[in-house]
Amino acid sequence: MKLSYKLIMVSAAALMSVSPLVNTTQNVNAATASSKKTTAKKTSTKKAITKKSASTKKSASTKESASTKKSASTKKSASTKKSTSKKAASSKKTTSKKTTSNTIKLIHNAYVYDKNGKRLKTYMGSAKYTTIAKGVTVNSNGTKTIDGVLYYSLGGGAYIKAANVDGKAGNIDKPTIITLKKNAYIYNGEGKTKKKLVKKGKTVKTTEARYIGTKLYYKIGDDQFVKAANVGKVKGTELDPINEPDGAATVEVPDTEDVNSTNVTTKRVVSLYDIKGQKYANRTFDAGISQQVSELRYIATSVNSTPQLFFKLASGRGYLKYDDVTMDGKILNPVNTPEQAKADVTVATAADKAKLTQSINEAASVKASELYKLSSSSAKAAYDKAITDGAIVNNNASATIGQVNEAEGAIVAAKAKLNGAKIAVANFNSLTPDEVTAIVKAAANANNVPESAIQFSNNNTTLSIVTNGYTQPLNINDYAVQNSAINR
C-alpha cells in the first residue's frame, strides 16, 4: 500500500510599522512666535521621540513575534519533515518486507531434496509429492546452500533447488550448456532417431531435461533430444527433469559406448546393400548421414567377381560400401579375406547350417527362461526377430554360406542382449517405492502387458494383472528375490 503525505510549511512575515512625525504650526503673535515655536518644536520633538520609541518597540515586538513565529514554524517544519521521514522509512520498511515475501513460484518441475541434497523418496507421506509441478506456488522459510547449489527450504528438512524458482536463483537466466562426451544421435520426443549425429566435443544449449520412457534426455532444439548418457560437462543453470520416468529410470549406455567405436558418414546419396552385395530396393541414405558400424568385411557378388569392402551397420540393417563413406574413430580391419568372401557366395550345405540350426532349436528353452521373460520388450523383440529371420535362411535351399553365417551371428548377438533378472529387494513385507516400480516393470515385461495393468494390493504384498475387470493373481517370487544383505 502506498502512502502519500502532504507537507504544510508555515511561514511568518515580519510586519514593520512606522509612524511619521507631524509638526503642527499655529498662527501666533510675532513676539511670542519664536518662543512658542521653540516650545512647540520641543513638544513636537518629544512627542515624535515618544512615538518613535513606541514605534520602535512595536517594530521590535513585531520582529520578535515574527522571529518567534518563524522559529516555531521552522521547528514545526523540521518536526513535520522528521515525522514524514519516519513515516517514509516506515513505509519503505513495510514495502521491503512485502517484497521479500516467503511465497515462491516454480518455473520448472522441481524435485524435493533433503538437507544433504539427496532426493527424497517420500514427502508429505507420499512418493507422488516428491516432484512439485511447474507453476505451483509454495511457501519457503529461507535459503540454504548445499554443495555450492542454492536451495529454498520448504520446512521439515525439505528443499527445492532455487534454479527452479522464478527469478530467485540469481542465475536463472544463465543458459544451460552441455558438452557431448560421445558422438550422440538426435532423437525426437518419442525416442526415435534417424541416426543423425551431434559430434563428440560439440557444445550446445539445452532448454530442459526430460525422460522419454525410462531414459533421460536433454532437449537441444524443436523436438530434438540427445541422451544424457552422451553428455559430459553441464554448465549454467542445473535442470531437473520436467517429468518422471515411465517406470524405473534406467542408466542408458551412450550411443557410442566404446570410446574406440567407428562411425562413417555418407559422401553422397548412397544405397544400402545385403550380405550378397546386392542393393536393397528403395533403401538409401542421404549425403552427410552418420552411422555407427561394427565391422569391415569383403563381399563378393559371385565366385568370379572381385570382392569389395563394405562396412556393416551396428544396427545390423545392412552394409555401406567403403568407397561411399568417410570414416572416423577406431580403424577396423577386415574380418575376412577376399578368398573367404568368394567362398561365402557358394550355397550352404547342411553342415554349414549346423550352428544356425542349433541356435534356432534352443529358442524355445531361451523364451521359457527368466533371462528372456524379464528382459525389456525391445530386447525380446530383437531376439524374436533374429530367430524368425534365421529360420527363413535355414529353410532356404539356395542360401549362401555368407547368409547363414550372418543369420547365426544375429541370433548370438540378440541373445547376448537379453538381460532379464529378478529384482533384488530387502524385505518383501516392506517394499520401497523404487522396488515396487521395478517389480511392476518386470511383471509387465514378463506378461507382455502395459505397466498400468500390473497392480499391487495388501500393502504391496499381493501382485496381480487387472484388465477389463478381470484379475489374474501373480506370484511375486517370479519377479523378485529377497536379499537381506541389501542396505537401505
Side-chain angles (χ1 to χ4, degrees):
M1 176 178 179
K2 295 184 179 178
L3 301 178
S4 176
Y5 296 94
K6 184 175 181 182
L7 181 62
I8 302 174
M9 301 298 293
V10 179
S11 63
L15 303 176
M16 304 297 293
S17 177
V18 181
S19 299
L21 297 179
V22 180
N23 293 322
T24 304
T25 306
Q26 298 180 354
N27 294 320
V28 294
N29 295 328
T32 61
S34 177
S35 176
K36 289 182 177 181
K37 186 175 182 180
T38 301
T39 302
K41 186 175 180 181
K42 288 180 179 179
T43 302
S44 176
T45 301
K46 186 176 180 180
K47 289 181 179 180
I49 291 172
T50 302
K51 288 182 178 181
K52 184 175 181 181
S53 176
S55 175
T56 303
K57 287 181 180 180
K58 183 176 180 181
S59 175
S61 175
T62 302
K63 288 181 178 179
E64 183 178 354
S65 175
S67 175
T68 303
K69 288 181 179 180
K70 184 175 182 181
S71 175
S73 174
T74 302
K75 288 181 179 179
K76 185 175 181 181
S77 175
S79 176
T80 302
K81 287 181 178 178
K82 186 175 182 181
S83 175
T84 303
S85 177
K86 286 182 178 180
K87 289 182 179 180
S90 175
S91 173
K92 184 175 181 181
K93 185 177 180 181
T94 302
T95 303
S96 175
K97 186 176 181 180
K98 288 187 178 182
T99 300
T100 16
S101 170
N102 59 358
T103 298
I104 54 179
K105 185 176 182 181
L106 276 66
I107 62 167
H108 299 296
N109 287 12
Y111 289 142
V112 181
Y113 298 83
D114 64 15
K115 64 180 181 180
N116 298 314
K118 303 295 183 183
R119 280 189 60 190
L120 292 177
K121 292 184 177 180
T122 60
Y123 177 57
M124 297 177 63
S126 175
K128 69 180 181 180
Y129 297 130
T130 56
T131 300
I132 303 176
K134 172 183 176 181
V136 171
T137 298
V138 297
N139 290 326
S140 170
N141 56 13
T143 60
K144 181 179 180 179
T145 300
I146 305 172
D147 293 332
V149 178
L150 183 65
Y151 290 75
Y152 273 91
S153 171
L154 303 181
Y159 300 83
I160 57 174
K161 288 181 180 177
N164 295 310
V165 177
D166 188 9
K168 304 295 183 181
N171 65 344
I172 193 65
D173 294 325
K174 187 175 181 180
T176 302
I177 305 297
I178 58 176
T179 302
L180 280 302
K181 66 179 180 181
K182 310 276 188 182
N183 288 338
Y185 293 135
I186 297 175
Y187 296 81
N188 63 17
E190 297 179 348
K192 297 179 180 179
T193 179
K194 293 182 178 180
K195 301 293 185 180
K196 290 187 177 181
L197 280 176
V198 179
K199 293 287 187 178
K200 173 184 175 181
K202 179 76 173 179
T203 297
V204 294
K205 180 179 178 181
T206 179
T207 55
E208 70 179 30
R210 72 155 60 228
Y211 282 101
I212 300 176
T214 59
K215 303 174 183 65
L216 185 61
Y217 292 76
Y218 282 105
K219 185 175 183 179
I220 61 171
D222 186 21
D223 200 33
Q224 292 184 324
F225 300 84
V226 293
K227 288 179 182 176
N230 293 309
V231 174
K233 294 181 180 179
V234 180
K235 293 183 179 180
T237 302
E238 186 175 354
L239 300 176
D240 277 335
I242 66 169
N243 63 341
E244 291 290 339
D246 184 15
T250 57
V251 179
E252 175 69 2
V253 296
D255 291 322
T256 52
E257 182 181 14
D258 184 359
V259 293
N260 294 317
S261 63
T262 305
N263 290 275
V264 297
T265 303
T266 55
K267 298 178 181 179
R268 48 191 167 267
V269 176
V270 300
S271 296
L272 192 65
Y273 295 79
D274 63 19
I275 188 61
K276 297 171 69 176
Q278 303 295 325
K279 292 181 181 180
Y280 283 112
N282 302 319
R283 292 178 66 178
T284 61
F285 283 104
D286 291 335
I289 301 298
S290 294
Q291 295 286 304
Q292 186 177 356
V293 294
S294 58
E295 69 178 26
L296 178 64
R297 71 162 48 242
Y298 285 102
I299 294 178
T301 55
S302 69
V303 176
N304 297 320
S305 67
T306 300
Q308 297 185 55
L309 282 172
F310 287 78
F311 283 107
K312 182 179 181 179
L313 298 182
S315 63
R317 292 185 298 161
Y319 298 81
L320 291 171
K321 272 188 177 180
Y322 182 91
D323 293 336
D324 287 341
V325 298
T326 57
M327 181 188 69
D328 64 86
K330 180 182 178 181
I331 297 176
L332 298 177
N333 295 315
V335 297
N336 62 348
T337 65
E339 289 71 25
Q340 288 172 329
K342 289 182 179 181
D344 286 343
V345 178
T346 60
V347 175
T349 65
D352 295 327
K353 294 181 178 179
K355 287 185 178 180
L356 176 59
T357 302
Q358 181 181 349
S359 293
I360 293 171
N361 290 339
E362 72 174 12
S365 61
V366 170
K367 291 184 178 183
S369 69
E370 177 183 296
L371 176 70
Y372 176 89
K373 287 182 177 180
L374 299 181
S375 288
S376 65
S377 298
S378 59
K380 289 191 293 186
Y383 178 77
D384 293 346
K385 185 178 185 303
I387 292 295
T388 300
D389 292 345
I392 293 173
V393 172
N394 200 42
N395 294 329
N396 183 359
S398 61
T400 64
I401 292 176
Q403 287 177 297
V404 170
N405 291 340
E406 182 181 50
E408 163 63 11
I411 293 175
V412 171
K415 182 181 177 182
K417 291 182 179 179
L418 294 174
N419 57 358
K422 289 183 179 180
I423 308 303
V425 301
N427 188 342
F428 275 126
N429 296 318
S430 180
L431 298 175
T432 67
D434 287 344
E435 289 170 347
V436 168
T437 300
I439 292 171
V440 167
K441 185 176 182 64
N445 283 335
N447 292 279
N448 295 317
V449 296
E451 292 179 26
S452 59
I454 305 297
Q455 293 188 13
F456 266 108
S457 58
N458 297 328
N459 294 322
N460 293 333
T461 58
T462 302
L463 192 65
S464 306
I465 298 176
V466 180
T467 55
N468 300 322
Y470 171 76
T471 301
Q472 176 187 340
L474 298 175
N475 186 349
I476 194 171
N477 292 287
D478 290 339
Y479 315 103
V481 60
Q482 184 165 302
N483 184 351
S484 57
I486 294 177
N487 293 320
R488 290 183 175 173

